[in-house]
Structures are given as C-alpha cells and as structure tokens.
Amino acid sequence: GAPTQSVAAPQQHVGSARIEAIHRDTVTLSHGPIASMDWGAMTMDFRLPEAGLPRGIKAGDQVRFEFVMGSEGPQIVSVTPIAAGGEQK
C-alpha cells in the first residue's frame, strides 16, 4: 500500500499574561517572553478556543495560557487563572 503520512500535532507554547480585553473571537493579552517562539514581551490578540474562556475570567486577570500557531494566527488552547501569589487557581 501507499505510505501513510503522519501529521504532527502543532507545537504548543506556554506563557503568562494579563488579560487586557476580551472580544467576541479574540482576547488581548499582555504576555511575557515566549522562549519557544523567540518572542519578547508584548501585547497582542489571540484567537479564543472554540469553548471560549473559562467562566469568571475577566480583563485585568493574570493567567497562564497555552497556544498553537494556526493558519489564522495564534490560537489559545487553554487558559488558567493565576492567583495573586503567582499560583494557579
């Protein structure tokens, strides 16, 4: 038979950020450096996951987030609130 091609899952990247604004399809994050992308700290929009953000997350919150680079730009995979002391809630 024909050889099968394995499709690698997109690499996931992790960062921490402050939520600046939440829009219908995107969220604006001010994030720290993302070493796996060779990005410095910046403020930018990320596409929301299909399920949206977890309940209770709002502008001003500190979060840990994971994302992949998709054909339409960075796509959030998961978001976890970070408590004031730096621990995940």
Side-chain angles (χ1 to χ4, degrees):
T4 58
Q5 292 182 345
S6 63
V7 177
Q11 179 182 357
Q12 287 196 4
H13 309 279
V14 178
S16 59
R18 178 179 190 272
I19 295 180
E20 298 296 337
I22 300 170
H23 311 284
R24 192 170 78 97
D25 296 324
T26 62
V27 60
T28 305
L29 301 177
S30 290
H31 64 76
I34 309 287
S36 60
M37 291 291 292
D38 199 24
W39 286 355
M42 67 180 97
T43 300
M44 60 185 288
D45 289 342
F46 289 79
R47 289 180 49 233
L48 291 172
E50 285 186 27
L53 291 174
R55 284 180 182 244
I57 289 184
K58 62 191 177 314
D61 286 353
Q62 294 289 331
V63 296
R64 178 184 180 276
F65 67 104
E66 296 180 29
F67 70 98
V68 296
M69 285 303 292
S71 60
E72 297 180 28
Q75 169 79 52
I76 289 185
V77 175
S78 69
V79 176
T80 307
I82 299 174
E87 297 179 13
Q88 293 181 24
K89 290 184 182 177

